[in-house]
Amino acid sequence: MGSSTDSSRFVTAFEGGRPATQVHFNPWNPANYAQTYSIYWLQRTISAHGDGSVSSDFFEELSVDGNEVTVEFPTDWSYWNGDDITAEDYFVAAEIDRYQDPEGSPIEGHELVDEYTVRRIYKDEISPTVAKLNAGYGMEAPKSVFGEYLERYQDASGESAREDVTNDLLQMTISTEEFVDQGLGSTLFKIEDFNSSETLAVKQDDHPWADRTDIEEIRVLPNVESGTQVEQLEKSNDLDMTQYIAESQRSEYPDNLQNIYELSHYNCQKYMLNWNNKHLANRSVRRAIISAIDIPSIVDAATQTGMLATPTQVQTGIRETIEEMYLGEGFTDQLIQYPVEADEETARGHMEDAGYSLEDETWVGPDGDSISFDIITQSAVAQSQPTKVFSDQLNGFGMDTEMEAIGQDYYSKLQEWEFDIAWIWHVALPFWHPSAYFSNNFYGILAGDQGSGNDTGPTGVPFSTEIPEEVGAREVGSNGVEINPAQLMTDLNGASSEEETIELTQQLVQWFNFELPSIVHMQENRGFGGDVENFSFPDPDETRLDRPNPGPWALTSGLISRN
């Protein structure tokens, strides 16, 4: 067992790998936000499921009526510091979101009905599924810390004054030390000590779920970026909960570690293409790239590291498992079917159509400039190894590349936009819903701020563009349809019906498939295993595990206990 001689301690590790000393807890500042680390310390209020449904293990009520969403909080929850968790925590966070762009937001406002009830009012009627997916406020922005920002927004006299508040908010950080000292966490296990290599947390005996489990302490380790070789710890039987054990690696793991659940994850992985590089701004070059690379080989390089993944078959920009649900039957078949395996002949044709020629085994453009791409990726082997294959394939095709693997500050580096091609996760929010993929930020499909005064976003993708009228056409022709992808993403988030959701998703998917702002190469699965000799885990037939991070969710919900 991984938890030493004390069977009341449970040892595990979290994805993402940035150690506790390198992250912060301001959800509006994406640079080094504790995206995965916080899963253990901030109580989730809603959960999306793989079948498109939404549930809440926390809210007493979550209901949608026309354009109004009513959220009722339980009365027996508090932060680690003893402050009651109330509807005001929801109100503060949700209003801060709205005030950043009140004109563009689909939200009219929020109303505090009473201490434990808040009403969320949309400008138009809203789909119940979308409304519930976007209702997960309550824990990330405690009123004691973020209330002052809401007051400043409320006092702001206009757009410029609001922008000043937003700029301050986006730069603010809450270090893990401050997070712990101020007691801002809200889960069953409270952090007692942490450093760059581990976090120790103890069960709160007065927590509403304390009686569910007899685990008294958890030890959580960061993943490989910090130097902790999690896979080796698993194989050495030093962890009580593990990543899903691939069949190819089964013989390397001890018998007491068994798979508990495999999840068709919401996440994909992609290569973001920066159109500020004049070659990548050429659609034919982007199409040549996807034709020249061999996606199965790239995915094989990832699965060799223990990742569960399959090659993306069609460039839709959304998860394959939800395509029929949100596009309708047969729509995917109508799209451009780019090669999945390397097709050099097709790739050469795209380059020649764009006026490029091969000189000394390097493609040279019409202006005499040879192609050269700077590629960045996260340094973790599961990302750097497949990206190296991708880079080598482009080199072999005649596109010179330089690859740089970046460590703990990767996401900060990414947002400097000084790259040509970048690896990144492909989902903005933990949903199996189109709005999680077509989300206007660097995790989603970055289109950019339409109010910036520019014609394009930070990666050169234009705000206004034309796509063919006919789905699957390779050229615009004489009947182009003008669209604004950034606006469509905003509209999708506020779609008021299933029909509108499908219509908007089809337009965005057609744009993504036609223009290739990114290349989604990997459909990722995840899951978890555990030490079944010493601990009992929830039965997937009795407990819904088709949700984000099912292992950490089970642990922090008190659903794992000693045998």
Side-chain angles (χ1 to χ4, degrees), residues 277-351:
N277 178 302
K278 72 175 186 179
H279 304 293
L280 291 174
N282 190 310
R283 186 188 307 128
S284 292
V285 173
R286 299 194 297 273
R287 290 178 176 178
I289 288 173
I290 196 172
S291 301
I293 62 174
D294 188 73
I295 293 178
S297 298
I298 297 169
V299 174
D300 283 347
T303 58
Q304 288 169 14
T305 70
M307 181 169 284
L308 302 173
T310 56
T312 297
Q313 299 299 310
V314 184
Q315 293 296 314
T316 64
I318 65 175
R319 173 79 186 191
E320 287 181 354
T321 52
I322 66 168
E323 285 174 351
E324 186 168 326
M325 186 186 308
Y326 290 108
L327 292 174
E329 186 176 357
F331 185 86
T332 302
D333 296 337
Q334 300 175 45
L335 296 168
I336 299 171
Q337 307 294 309
Y338 296 105
V340 177
E341 299 178 346
D343 184 344
E344 187 167 328
E345 182 179 349
T346 295
R348 289 173 66 93
H350 285 305
M351 296 300 291

Side-chain angles (χ1 to χ4, degrees), residues 14-135:
F14 65 92
E15 291 289 338
R18 285 171 290 172
T21 53
Q22 299 294 325
V23 297
H24 71 88
F25 285 82
N26 172 9
W28 287 283
N29 180 349
N32 290 327
Y33 175 63
Q35 189 84 22
T36 51
Y37 181 63
S38 66
I39 290 166
Y40 290 91
W41 322 121
L42 296 176
Q43 176 60 40
R44 182 180 293 120
T45 55
I46 63 104
S47 285
H49 299 288
D51 63 358
S53 62
V54 188
S55 69
S56 178
D57 303 302
F58 177 80
F59 292 136
E60 292 290 326
E61 180 185 354
L62 176 60
S63 60
V64 183
D65 183 9
N67 69 327
E68 295 186 353
V69 183
T70 300
V71 182
E72 183 179 334
F73 277 63
T75 59
D76 55 349
W77 279 68
S78 63
Y79 292 103
W80 294 342
N81 61 17
D83 290 353
D84 288 341
I85 295 171
T86 68
E88 188 179 353
D89 293 288
Y90 190 110
F91 180 84
V92 167
E95 279 288 272
I96 286 175
D97 257 359
R98 184 182 70 85
Y99 267 111
Q100 291 178 50
D101 183 14
E103 292 80 13
S105 172
I107 305 297
E108 182 68 38
H110 297 84
E111 175 188 348
L112 277 174
V113 179
D114 56 45
E115 188 175 5
Y116 291 99
T117 308
V118 63
R119 186 167 293 126
R120 182 167 166 85
I121 304 165
Y122 281 80
K123 294 174 181 176
D124 300 299
E125 189 170 323
I126 184 73
S127 151
T129 298
V130 173
K132 290 177 180 179
L133 284 171
N134 290 304

Side-chain angles (χ1 to χ4, degrees), residues 3 8-12 40-41 187-193 198-203 213 215-221 240 552 555-556 560:
S3 45
S8 68
R9 177 187 285 187
F10 190 89
V11 184
T12 187
Y40 290 91
W41 322 121
T187 50
L188 174 59
F189 295 96
K190 177 183 178 181
I191 297 177
E192 193 169 65
D193 195 15
E198 67 176 6
T199 297
L200 296 177
V202 296
K203 185 174 74 170
T213 180
I215 294 174
E216 297 296 331
E217 183 178 293
I218 65 173
R219 179 172 171 242
V220 184
L221 312 176
D240 298 314
L555 178 62
T556 57
I560 300 174

Side-chain angles (χ1 to χ4, degrees), residues 384-418:
S384 60
Q385 188 164 297
T387 303
K388 179 66 165 58
V389 173
F390 170 76
S391 177
D392 288 346
Q393 289 175 353
L394 292 184
N395 265 315
F397 178 63
M399 296 178 173
D400 289 340
T401 63
E402 286 255 353
M403 190 191 97
E404 181 183 4
I406 300 169
Q408 294 168 4
D409 61 345
Y410 179 70
Y411 293 102
S412 299
K413 183 73 172 176
L414 187 75
Q415 291 173 88
E416 294 173 3
W417 315 115
E418 294 178 358

